[in-house]
Amino acid sequence: MELFRRLGIEDRVREAGASISASMGMFYGHSLREVIESKPRKEGPRKIPLAGIAASISPAVGTFVTQDMIEPVLVDVAKERGGDVRFYTDCLGVEQDGDGVTATLKDRETGATSKIRADYLIAADGAGSPIRTRLNVPTTGRGTMGYLLNILFHADLQSLVQGREFSLCMVERPEVCGLFTSINNSDRWVFHLSYDPSKGEKATDFSPEKCKELLRLALGMPEVEIDIQSILPWEAAVRIAEVLEHERIFLAGDAVHQMPPWAGQGANSGIADVHNLAWKLAAVLKGHASKGLLETYDVERIPVGRVAAEVSASVADERGIILTKRNLAFVMGLLRRAPIISGHGYSYTSKAICVEDTSPLGGITWRPWTVPSLFLSIDGRPGSRAPHLWIEHQGKRVSTLDLCGKSFVLLAGAEGAPWSEATKKVSSALGIDVAVYCAGPRGDFVCPQGEFESAAGISSRGAILVRPDDFVAWRQRRQSSDPQAELEQAMKQALCLP
């Protein structure tokens, strides 16, 4: 949601998911009815779990919205902003040379073929990624963990779940085993039905009528009316691409990191991949950065995808379904998911991130005693997401992150006036826009004294350099003897310039 807020579409995304009620709770039993009827009803609307803690991390609180609800919003926005969006179209192949990439497309309705030429290609073509296959990209990871059918269905269960809304419910019985996932906690549901090819079972064995029969058993409601919308086979699997950059072709999303959905990192990781890559492509195309900057995409994103995938897999059982039984494995799974579930619990290390000297105590004394700092390492260190604080800027209450996102930005402490002059000179010398903001009552943004400096791990004369993707590229904790030279060197490293 933080990235959607940056794009100016946060409200549209929330509106798309407005029909989904906030829910929490992971249960286990022999039928959904048996489990839910044992729970007391609660009055009043429910809030997003841990929303209070999340508010200290980001200016955008999470929301519940399904993929089929959000994709129309993204398509509309892409078209409004000049995107050429095509459906019912196959990519027959891609070829690249020293100047660009050519994709051959086929209109599946007319059979007509066409070619598109671009400087670069982002291949976000799913877990099966034909482009990854053509490039012979090796993958690592656990591989297939289980085989499931995603059964999307309508059934009016409001009288059962009202006031007892839930998120997930595992049902295990001799006839059927699977996981109910609530969509709107009223009449839209998904059931992940487990099947076992080693026992001769195939996805094609499960006709709509058979699925209805199994759903009624799993629901514990033999008379309920069920309208099945789709039955789609999928694998709970972990596969991580070992190389993301292939000259002018870049892999992203599920093509890079296939993972079970149980830590909520599939879409988050894919969106963050392109967020990391987009500004780098723009910088190279504008001539502001060397092509070496594009090499940092692999180095920065592969470790993040690997952690997300392994954590997602670690909370699954031998069938690839999330653990719901209250035992030690369940508790350990919750602890593993906690740091990454908001999408913030990672940092980058690459040649575009300036390493700082943290001796003699490893920088521990620089860190504020806050949730973002202690649990997510959002404390101003190079490679971390810039800290979020609510501030006043030009008479408006905004986040520190609202100052970022369009260019490189230098955020300085209350006595950081020398950095302002240095930034203007560096910007002019490199021919690159670099914005600068100083904290303090007479500065460019106002917040309680020392609050920003504490959050960023700097003194009142220090500064942090933030990339267009909101990650810190460099930090100087104190006033420099030559701020212009130091900042210019930091900018060159951040853009991989000689």
Side-chain angles (χ1 to χ4, degrees), residues 77-317:
V77 172
K79 289 179 177 178
E80 290 166 8
R81 301 184 182 184
D84 179 359
V85 181
R86 304 185 189 187
F87 291 96
Y88 210 55
T89 302
D90 287 333
C91 178
L92 301 180
V94 296
E95 297 179 355
Q96 60 178 321
D97 52 43
D99 299 318
V101 183
T102 301
T104 302
L105 307 180
K106 178 182 178 180
D107 186 314
R108 296 175 65 184
E109 183 174 357
T110 66
T113 61
S114 60
K115 294 183 183 293
I116 292 180
R117 181 77 173 168
D119 292 292
Y120 294 96
L121 170 70
I122 299 176
D125 52 343
S129 185
I131 293 177
R132 184 189 66 209
T133 301
R134 291 169 189 151
L135 291 169
N136 295 316
V137 181
T139 61
T140 59
R142 304 188 188 193
T144 300
M145 301 172 63
Y147 297 86
L148 300 106
L149 291 178
N150 178 309
I151 306 173
L152 174 64
F153 68 100
H154 284 192
D156 186 359
L157 306 182
Q158 188 170 10
S159 61
L160 173 65
V161 302
Q162 188 171 19
R164 301 184 287 206
E165 290 82 4
F166 69 97
S167 179
L168 304 170
C169 182
M170 177 71 178
V171 171
E172 190 166 13
R173 52 193 301 149
E175 308 94 332
V176 61
C177 173
L179 181 78
F180 282 106
T181 302
S182 65
I183 295 182
N184 63 1
N185 267 292
S186 175
D187 64 354
R188 295 190 75 213
W189 313 89
V190 166
F191 186 64
H192 298 282
L193 172 66
S194 176
Y195 68 98
D196 189 351
S198 69
K199 296 179 180 179
E201 295 176 338
K202 306 184 297 293
T204 54
D205 295 338
F206 297 89
S207 65
E209 286 306 314
K210 183 173 182 178
C211 287
K212 285 184 181 181
E213 177 185 340
L214 294 174
L215 284 173
R216 291 190 176 104
L217 284 171
L219 288 167
M221 304 171 72
E223 304 302 325
V224 68
E225 288 292 325
I226 294 175
D227 178 17
I228 293 180
Q229 302 293 297
S230 64
I231 303 172
L232 301 173
W234 67 282
E235 292 182 13
V238 173
R239 295 186 179 91
I240 309 298
E242 287 296 287
V243 184
L244 310 188
E245 180 202 10
H246 302 269
E247 298 180 23
R248 291 178 173 270
I249 300 174
F250 298 86
L251 302 178
D254 287 352
V256 171
H257 33 64
Q258 184 180 359
M259 66 189 78
W262 314 129
Q265 294 304 300
N268 282 349
S269 296
I271 293 168
D273 285 341
V274 180
H275 186 237
N276 177 282
L277 178 59
W279 77 269
K280 295 175 180 178
L281 287 171
V284 170
L285 289 170
K286 291 176 181 177
H288 294 166
S290 76
K291 291 184 178 180
L293 180 63
L294 301 179
E295 298 170 0
T296 66
Y297 175 57
D298 277 47
V299 179
E300 293 182 355
R301 289 305 302 172
I302 288 178
V304 177
R306 182 175 290 118
V307 169
E310 288 301 327
V311 169
S312 298
S314 72
V315 299
D317 64 16

Side-chain angles (χ1 to χ4, degrees), residues 33-116:
R33 184 173 189 170
E34 173 191 287
V35 170
I36 299 301
E37 284 187 339
S38 68
K39 309 297 178 185
R41 295 187 189 272
K42 296 182 180 180
E43 300 296 328
R46 296 195 180 188
K47 297 181 179 180
I48 298 288
L50 305 178
I53 295 177
S56 67
I57 300 170
S58 172
V61 178
T63 192
F64 290 94
V65 60
T66 60
Q67 184 174 341
D68 64 319
M69 292 175 169
I70 193 174
E71 284 186 347
V73 174
L74 300 181
V75 169
D76 288 345
V77 172
K79 289 179 177 178
E80 290 166 8
R81 301 184 182 184
D84 179 359
V85 181
R86 304 185 189 187
F87 291 96
Y88 210 55
T89 302
D90 287 333
C91 178
L92 301 180
V94 296
E95 297 179 355
Q96 60 178 321
D97 52 43
D99 299 318
V101 183
T102 301
T104 302
L105 307 180
K106 178 182 178 180
D107 186 314
R108 296 175 65 184
E109 183 174 357
T110 66
T113 61
S114 60
K115 294 183 183 293
I116 292 180

Side-chain angles (χ1 to χ4, degrees), residues 448-495:
Q449 184 175 0
E451 185 177 73
F452 169 72
E453 291 87 344
S454 175
I458 60 175
S459 71
S460 61
R461 297 183 178 182
I464 59 174
L465 179 66
V466 184
R467 309 189 315 189
D469 63 350
D470 299 338
F471 278 74
V472 179
W474 166 84
R475 174 169 66 177
Q476 173 53 265
R477 296 192 64 235
R478 303 176 181 87
Q479 178 63 57
S480 168
S481 59
D482 191 346
Q484 180 181 345
E486 197 164 339
L487 178 58
E488 184 170 344
Q489 179 56 41
M491 279 292 300
K492 287 181 176 179
Q493 182 171 341
L495 292 168

